[in-house]
Amino acid sequence: MDKVTLIIPLLIGILIFRQFIPKEVNRFDFIGLPILGLYKTYSSLPSTLNAEILAELICLLIWAAIIGIYQAKKTKVVYHYDKLSTVGGIHYIVLWIVMLIGRIIILFAFHYTDFMSAIQSGGEQFKNDIFYLVSQSGDWLIWSTIAASSILYSLTLYKDHPEIKEFFHTQIKQKE
């Protein structure tokens, strides 16, 4: 396992737990995680995609998009020390957990027979089979859900909060 693979989950954990304190709005937070998710998805795509994998991907993307929208709806946009900030709070974390549970349910639904075989084998073989199924489902599927939820989160905040829209328009004008 390379260093980047070890650092990325740590960074995601920090980004999630930063949701409990007012976090100043900046462009990186709105585009950084979606770009990272898209990059990791693209870089770990399998060479061939069959219909079952595509169906699983579509289900995961829809689920992640719904979670991203709900996360944005529960996020508060406030001014903290005269700076535009967001606070996701406990809803943000709970929805990440719900997204993970949904991912496991979708994985189970698409690999039902494999899971049932693992359950019937029992004991140590059960644990090994389940670990194999979860770990071999592909990093790109996980990263695609992170990208989808992050993109919808950012777009929903942009759409629903005029102060965020104004912030980005001001940033663009300053660049010109």
Side-chain angles (χ1 to χ4, degrees), residues 25-26 51 57 71 74 93 99 104 124 139 165:
V25 172
N26 62 49
L57 173 63
Q71 283 175 326
K74 296 295 184 178
I93 303 296
M99 185 165 68
I104 291 169
E124 186 68 29
D139 284 349
K165 191 180 290 188

Side-chain angles (χ1 to χ4, degrees), residues 5-158:
T5 305
L6 292 173
I7 292 172
I8 289 174
L10 177 65
L11 290 174
I12 290 171
I14 290 169
L15 289 173
I16 290 171
F17 286 105
R18 282 183 54 199
Q19 292 296 321
F20 288 107
I21 57 173
K23 181 178 60 166
E24 185 179 344
V25 172
N26 62 49
R27 290 182 303 195
F28 179 77
D29 288 338
F30 278 82
I31 62 171
L33 193 54
I35 289 173
L36 176 64
L38 290 171
Y39 169 75
K40 290 296 284 182
T41 299
Y42 177 75
S43 66
S44 60
L45 273 173
S47 58
T48 59
L49 299 174
N50 61 31
E52 183 180 346
I53 291 174
L54 286 175
E56 183 177 353
L57 173 63
I58 290 168
C59 290
L60 288 169
L61 291 176
I62 291 169
W63 181 245
I66 292 167
I67 295 297
I69 290 169
Y70 278 117
Q71 283 175 326
K73 296 284 184 188
K74 296 295 184 178
T75 298
K76 295 177 186 168
V77 176
V78 298
Y79 283 93
H80 186 68
Y81 296 119
D82 293 329
K83 294 184 179 179
L84 187 62
S85 304
T86 58
V87 181
I90 192 71
H91 294 97
Y92 191 84
I93 303 296
V94 168
L95 286 165
W96 268 97
I97 293 168
V98 168
M99 185 165 68
L100 177 63
I101 292 169
R103 177 170 176 7
I104 291 169
I105 291 169
I106 291 169
L107 182 68
F108 178 78
F110 279 89
H111 301 279
Y112 176 77
T113 54
D114 296 331
F115 277 108
M116 294 317 293
S117 297
I119 290 171
Q120 289 173 351
S121 64
E124 186 68 29
Q125 185 64 33
F126 168 74
K127 190 168 49 173
N128 292 338
D129 288 348
I130 295 298
F131 179 75
Y132 177 78
L133 286 170
V134 172
S135 65
Q136 296 302 322
S137 63
D139 284 349
W140 68 278
L141 286 171
I142 295 168
W143 282 107
S144 65
T145 57
I146 291 171
S149 67
S150 299
I151 289 168
L152 269 290
Y153 173 81
S154 297
L155 289 174
T156 303
L157 281 178
Y158 180 84

